[in-house]
Amino acid sequence: MADTTTTIRHGILGEGMREDRDHLIEMLTKAYWMEVETVMSYLANSINPEGVRAQEIIESLEQDVQEELGHARQYGERIKELYGVVPGSLDFNAEQSYLQPPDDQVDIVHVIKGVIEAESGAIEHYNQIIEYCEGKDPVTQDMVIAILHDEEGHRRLFEGFLREYQAEGLA
Ligand SMILES: [Fe+2]
Ligand SMILES: [Fe+2]
């Protein structure tokens, strides 16, 4: 009974929640790295594309770089609040093989598909965090729901770009 009271009083920050908190920090750290890698990928892909049709993608990704950096910061801040430590660069492992520069910099479809894959990966992981937080940590859950909304918007926008290319038989 005492344990239940402590859990209610201190929530996810309570001593009895240490294991859940550690697992959550792991999930948040993965999310943090996903955002950091997305910043790198979108930065490169907001510079490399060439051709008359590249401008829309460039402008959109320039804006996204700032948004994804903001997400990384939010994940980092929450890791700290949960008594974790934001990792250093030596712990970083790149995973976004699909967002490497294409062979030809006019290959906009490659970039669009890469962005959709990155956003889909984030959406999947963030849904898992939201589910894990249920009944444990409403603050992290709230934060991740807001970030998930951003990612769904990003994916939807790039799905629209892809549809345009598909309609013209270019994708
Ligand atoms: Fe993000
Ligand atoms: Fe995004």
Side-chain angles (χ1 to χ4, degrees):
M1 197 63 199
D3 195 39
T4 311
T5 311
T6 308
T7 302
I8 291 166
R9 278 181 66 198
H10 300 285
I12 191 68
L13 298 177
E15 189 50 41
M17 295 291 277
R18 180 184 285 265
E19 264 181 45
D20 292 307
R21 203 163 57 233
D22 285 348
H23 184 68
L24 186 54
I25 288 169
E26 258 177 55
M27 296 181 96
L28 293 174
T29 301
K30 181 181 172 180
Y32 171 81
W33 283 132
M34 288 172 96
E35 296 290 350
V36 169
E37 186 170 14
T38 298
V39 168
M40 284 194 273
S41 294
Y42 288 6
L43 178 60
N45 285 295
S46 70
I47 297 169
N48 287 330
E50 286 181 25
V52 281
R53 310 189 68 166
Q55 208 52 38
E56 195 78 39
I57 304 299
I58 286 175
E59 278 169 25
S60 184
L61 288 177
E62 273 173 356
Q63 196 184 321
D64 285 351
V65 166
Q66 300 308 320
E67 267 194 55
E68 311 297 10
L69 184 59
H71 293 162
R73 172 159 287 279
Q74 286 186 73
Y75 280 119
E77 304 274 11
R78 190 59 185 156
I79 288 167
K80 181 177 177 177
E81 284 167 359
L82 294 173
Y83 305 121
V85 176
V86 181
S89 57
L90 288 181
D91 285 342
F92 177 68
N93 287 305
E95 289 178 358
Q96 292 178 350
S97 53
Y98 44 85
L99 263 174
Q100 302 309 300
D103 296 332
D104 186 344
Q105 301 316 313
V106 298
D107 186 357
I108 306 301
V109 171
H110 169 91
V111 176
I112 295 171
K113 285 182 174 172
V115 169
I116 291 171
E117 186 151 356
E119 297 295 342
S120 299
I123 287 166
E124 187 184 346
H125 184 53
Y126 301 173
N127 269 302
Q128 284 171 5
I129 300 176
I130 290 163
E131 201 175 304
Y132 187 77
C133 285
E134 184 62 34
K136 295 189 187 85
D137 181 355
V139 175
T140 299
Q141 192 177 47
D142 244 33
M143 182 191 90
V144 181
I145 287 170
I147 295 174
L148 176 65
H149 190 184
D150 289 344
E151 313 301 13
E152 287 180 347
H154 295 161
R155 184 169 72 180
R156 184 65 188 87
L157 181 66
F158 276 77
E159 281 174 351
F161 290 147
L162 187 61
R163 276 190 58 197
E164 193 183 311
Y165 279 86
Q166 283 166 337
E168 294 171 25
L170 298 169

